[in-house]
């Protein structure tokens, strides 16, 4: 095992929560020094985008059919793409304070993820290629640079790129050493939000592989230290090609970007004034700053949904429930299966998030118990061999098995750091990843990709729950190895990286909502 993989393993083990101790953090909320959730660039030219809240979008269930005609790329469709992915969804207020909610979910609503675009020459934006940062606070593009390139001659017309980065300190402020995990989950949430928004316009996406973090950093200028406060590292996550046509027959993207060298003379704003120091974060950032092994093609398996809501309404109404109603938490078996099937989109055709291990509390016609939903059929036998030998593995439906009947509400709550949202819901789950072999075969960067896939599943579950009139919450605080012990897992072949819960949330009537843009 090389040094980088050893570091990943050390970081993962060190940042596990347990009954004896939580992962190291400040231990209290330093509200006076909460980081600014908005990045701006001094020297950039701001271009206000048109507000597209009144734009009509397809029905939510139709965007997964791949039957929509692609829209032409212009300032209006680009604005719609961004408004229904990375933009503000609402402003919440309690009468004294206000805070923004976004379309892409985020741990603690801290939003470390930033979006950057490489746009072809477009009327109303620029006659040349444009490198821009998306500023969600006022829904605008910050034009960082314009330049000449022939890259568009090699790509389908109306294609463009969007990159996702993380400002890690936004999560460090609250979560300390475990913050890197949450940045990766949030990047996955942003990834799926972008993919869903692209679908509403009939566009396709390709998660670009064979491109290093170093190369992405050079493109967006993250490697120029003078542009950033040294304690506010902005690190590359991923680069997506958005294209109106199918992904087949596309050229290898990474070589097309090798000669893309912007000068980057803009300066990023400081998001904080007082900083915590966590050397372990710096260590894991260095270890995972490596090449991605393969180009990621996403596989979607369409299935019939009954939701008749407009896609934008589902996207804008997504929320994280703070409290679940234990007295009204029943969902139907049909709703349960719809939620599970919605998670089958995966990278590379086979999911490395091997299964969802589910605590079923109240699904009509299903007995309470511990279940497993297999997302990668090729790993079922390995899962079965690794898990508790006493599990019955009773098949309940395609890819869904009952492991053990019984009331697991106390277990669900205990594993989720004593949070009642995991036990008062209809069900909660842990995302079990094929861990050790994926790291050994693909290197340290695969650690990031595993979390991205978990985050993308979480964003999809949020949207699907919203479409069904249900509530959802991602759970980043869980007792890692307590969960593994419950399942009988004795090695790191499989690891749970993200937990989630779905039920019927209790609305806080003290809070009011305002429109984010006027």
């Amino acid at each position: 095992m090389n040094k980088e993989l050893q570091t990943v393993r050390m970081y993962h083990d060190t940042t596990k929560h347990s009954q004896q101790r939580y992962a190291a953090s400040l231990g209290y909320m330093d509200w006076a020094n909460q980081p600014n959730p908005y990045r701006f660039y001094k020297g950039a030219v701001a271009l206000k985008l048109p507000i597209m809240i009144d734009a009509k979008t397809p029905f939510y269930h139709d965007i997964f059919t791949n039957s929509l005609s692609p829209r032409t790329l212009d300032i209006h469709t680009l604005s719609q793409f961004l408004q229904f992915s990375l933009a503000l969804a609402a402003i919440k207020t309690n009468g004294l304070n206000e805070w923004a909610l976004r379309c892409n979910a985020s741990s603690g609503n801290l939003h470390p993820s930033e979006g950057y675009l490489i746009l072809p020459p477009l009327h109303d934006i620029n006659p040349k290629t444009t490198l821009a940062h998306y500023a969600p606070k006022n829904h605008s593009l910050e034009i960082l640079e314009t330049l000449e390139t022939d890259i568009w001659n090699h790509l389908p017309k109306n294609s463009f790129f969007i990159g996702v980065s993380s400002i890690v300190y936004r999560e460090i402020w609250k979560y300390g050493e475990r913050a890197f995990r949450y940045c990766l989950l949030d990047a996955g949430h942003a990834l799926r939000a972008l993919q869903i928004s692209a679908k509403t316009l009939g566009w396709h996406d390709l998660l670009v592989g064979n491109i290093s973090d170093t190369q992405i950093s050079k493109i967006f200028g993250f490697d120029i230290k003078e542009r950033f406060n040294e304690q506010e590292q902005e690190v590359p996550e991923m680069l997506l090609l958005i294209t109106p046509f199918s992904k087949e027959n596309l050229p290898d993207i990474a070589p097309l970007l090798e000669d893309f060298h912007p000068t980057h003379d803009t300066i990023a704003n400081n998001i904080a004034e007082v900083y915590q120091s966590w050397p372990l974060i710096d260590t894991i950032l260095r270890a995972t700053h490596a090449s991605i092994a393969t180009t990621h093609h996403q596989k979607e398996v369409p299935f019939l949904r009954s939701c008749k809501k407009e896609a934008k309404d589902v996207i804008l109404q997504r929320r994280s429930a703070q409290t679940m109603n234990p007295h009204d938490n029943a969902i139907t078996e049909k709703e349960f299966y719809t939620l599970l099937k919605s998670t089958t989109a995966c990278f590379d055709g086979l999911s490395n998030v091997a299964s969802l291990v589910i605590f079923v509390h109240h699904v009509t016609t299903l007995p309470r118990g511990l279940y497993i939903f297999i997302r990668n059929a090729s790993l079922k036998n390995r899962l079965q061999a690794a898990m508790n030998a006493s599990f019955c593995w009773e098949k309940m439906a395609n890819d869904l098995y009952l492991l053990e009947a019984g009331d697991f509400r106390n277990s669900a709550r205990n594993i989720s750091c004593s949070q009642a949202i995991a036990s008062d819901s209809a069900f909660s789950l842990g995302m079990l990843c094929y861990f050790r072999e994926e790291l050994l075969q693909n290197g340290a960067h695969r650690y990031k990709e595993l979390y991205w896939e978990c985050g993308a599943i979480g964003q999809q579950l949020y949207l699907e729950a919203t479409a069904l009139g249900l509530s959802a919450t991602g759970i980043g605080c869980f007792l890692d190895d307590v969960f593994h012990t419950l399942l009988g897992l004795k090695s790191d072949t499989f690891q749970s990286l993200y937990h989630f819960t779905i039920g019927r949330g209790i609305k806080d009537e003290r809070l009011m909502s305002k429109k984010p843009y006027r």
Side-chain angles (χ1 to χ4, degrees):
M1 185 181 293
N2 64 31
K3 181 180 178 181
E4 287 76 18
L5 281 180
Q6 289 175 350
T7 299
V8 166
R9 294 298 313 283
M10 179 272 294
Y11 173 82
H12 189 69
D13 290 341
T14 300
T15 58
K16 285 182 175 181
H17 290 324
S18 72
Q19 291 173 312
Q20 289 72 42
R21 60 155 187 84
Y22 282 0
S25 67
L26 190 62
Y28 63 91
M29 301 301 292
D30 184 12
W31 293 112
N33 294 303
Q34 183 174 3
N36 185 343
Y38 302 110
R39 166 72 87 207
F40 296 105
Y41 281 89
K42 300 171 187 176
V45 177
L47 174 64
K48 191 80 167 64
L49 295 171
I51 302 302
M52 302 301 292
I53 192 65
D54 294 326
K56 188 172 181 57
T57 55
F59 286 122
Y60 177 73
H61 66 276
D62 283 336
I63 68 173
F64 301 97
T65 62
N66 295 321
S67 62
L68 301 176
S69 298
R71 300 278 301 278
T72 299
L73 176 64
D74 57 32
I75 193 170
H76 292 91
T77 53
L78 178 67
S79 176
Q80 180 177 322
F81 168 70
L82 292 168
Q83 186 162 357
F84 300 143
S85 57
L86 302 182
L88 309 186
I91 302 292
K92 286 289 186 179
T93 178
N94 59 9
L96 296 175
N97 300 305
E98 292 185 352
W99 59 95
L101 304 178
R102 302 195 198 183
C103 297
N104 55 309
S106 172
S107 308
N109 200 32
L110 296 173
H111 291 285
S113 303
E114 296 286 332
Y116 294 82
L117 298 106
I118 307 172
L119 300 171
L122 288 174
H123 179 65
D124 292 333
I125 294 183
N126 200 295
K128 297 182 179 180
T129 294
T130 301
L131 185 67
H133 169 250
Y134 175 60
K137 184 175 184 179
N138 52 17
H139 190 51
S140 65
L141 290 181
E142 293 186 305
I143 309 301
L144 304 177
E145 197 156 348
T146 61
L147 59 164
E148 300 282 359
T149 175
D150 68 349
I151 189 173
W152 311 113
N153 296 331
H154 305 280
L155 297 170
K157 186 179 180 181
N158 292 321
S159 298
F160 65 98
F161 293 94
I162 184 160
V164 176
S165 67
S166 292
I167 302 177
V168 184
Y169 190 74
R170 286 192 182 133
E171 295 287 336
I172 289 175
W173 169 77
K174 181 177 182 180
Y175 297 113
E177 289 184 342
R178 201 168 164 103
F180 183 63
R181 294 186 181 211
Y182 297 134
C183 287
L184 301 181
L185 289 173
D186 281 7
H189 282 293
L191 166 63
R192 191 58 179 163
L194 291 165
Q195 291 172 330
I196 292 293
S197 190
K199 288 177 183 295
T200 69
L201 292 156
W203 295 344
H204 300 265
D205 68 272
L206 176 70
L207 185 58
V208 178
N210 300 322
I211 187 168
S212 68
D213 286 358
T214 299
Q215 188 176 354
I216 298 175
S217 289
K218 287 185 180 298
I219 291 171
F220 295 119
F222 304 142
D223 61 336
I224 302 177
K225 295 181 179 180
E226 294 77 12
R227 299 180 73 215
F228 302 94
N229 185 308
E230 64 180 358
Q231 299 184 80
E232 297 178 3
Q233 287 191 66
E234 187 158 351
V235 296
E237 297 291 358
M238 62 191 73
L239 183 68
L240 281 82
L241 174 69
I242 307 295
T243 175
F245 301 106
S246 147
K247 293 171 259 192
E248 285 80 18
N249 301 318
L250 285 173
D252 189 4
I253 304 299
L256 298 178
L257 292 164
E258 286 178 353
D259 296 326
F260 199 87
H261 298 300
T263 57
H264 294 298
D265 55 2
T266 55
I267 305 296
N269 66 319
N270 289 352
I271 64 164
E273 296 180 1
V274 178
Y275 300 90
Q276 305 169 35
S277 177
W278 296 102
L280 184 59
I281 295 290
D282 296 328
T283 300
I284 188 63
L285 287 174
R286 288 192 298 269
T288 54
H289 193 85
S291 297
I292 296 176
T294 57
T295 298
H296 293 288
H297 295 278
Q298 187 178 27
K299 180 182 178 182
E300 297 267 8
V301 182
F303 68 94
L304 185 63
R305 292 168 165 90
S306 57
C307 175
K308 297 297 182 183
K309 297 178 182 178
E310 256 197 76
K312 72 176 181 185
D313 292 334
V314 174
I315 292 167
L316 293 174
Q317 290 166 12
R318 183 213 63 79
R319 301 286 185 271
S320 292
Q322 302 301 308
T323 309
M324 294 292 185
N325 189 343
H327 308 296
D328 179 21
N329 61 359
I331 65 172
T332 68
E333 192 171 340
K334 181 180 179 181
E335 290 171 329
F336 182 60
Y337 288 142
T338 297
L339 288 158
L340 296 184
K341 287 188 289 186
S342 77
T343 70
T344 54
C346 56
F347 302 152
D348 298 331
L350 287 176
S351 176
N352 295 311
V353 182
S355 68
L356 309 180
V357 176
I358 310 164
F359 301 102
V360 171
H361 307 316
H362 201 166
V363 176
T364 57
T365 72
L366 280 182
R368 282 180 173 171
L370 185 66
Y371 289 72
I372 189 167
F373 179 70
I374 303 295
R375 296 185 70 248
N376 186 336
S378 69
L379 295 174
K380 177 178 176 289
N381 290 340
R382 295 183 194 184
L383 278 163
Q384 195 164 359
M387 294 171 75
N388 195 324
S390 67
F391 289 157
C392 64
W393 287 84
E394 179 183 351
K395 188 169 185 177
M396 308 299 287
N398 286 340
D399 302 319
L400 179 69
Y401 298 84
L402 172 65
L403 299 178
E404 184 178 330
D407 187 344
F408 281 84
R409 286 178 292 180
N410 286 338
S411 293
R413 180 171 182 162
N414 176 50
I415 286 167
S416 294
C417 300
S418 300
Q419 297 178 84
I421 52 173
S423 57
D424 292 346
S425 58
F427 67 94
S428 62
L429 61 86
M431 301 179 193
L432 203 60
C433 294
Y434 192 46
F435 190 75
R436 182 178 59 197
E437 290 302 318
E438 279 299 311
L439 294 178
L440 288 173
Q441 291 177 19
N442 297 285
H445 197 278
R446 188 64 112 192
Y447 187 67
K448 299 177 70 171
E449 297 168 59
L450 291 174
Y451 272 98
W452 295 349
E453 189 168 358
C454 288
I457 292 169
Q459 183 74 16
Q460 184 64 51
L461 285 171
Y462 267 121
L463 294 175
E464 214 67 37
T466 303
L468 292 169
L470 301 171
S471 305
T473 299
I475 301 174
C477 184
F478 57 90
L479 307 182
D480 302 53
D481 287 338
V482 173
F483 183 64
H484 299 146
T485 299
L486 175 70
L487 300 179
L489 299 175
K490 297 178 181 179
S491 74
D492 62 350
T493 301
F494 297 96
Q495 293 278 286
S496 184
L497 303 187
Y498 192 22
H499 285 223
F500 212 84
T501 187
I502 294 177
R504 299 187 187 279
I506 298 176
K507 185 177 180 180
D508 190 339
E509 299 295 343
R510 298 169 298 177
L511 303 183
M512 298 176 289
S513 290
K514 298 166 59 177
K515 292 181 179 179
Y517 306 113
R518 295 183 175 88

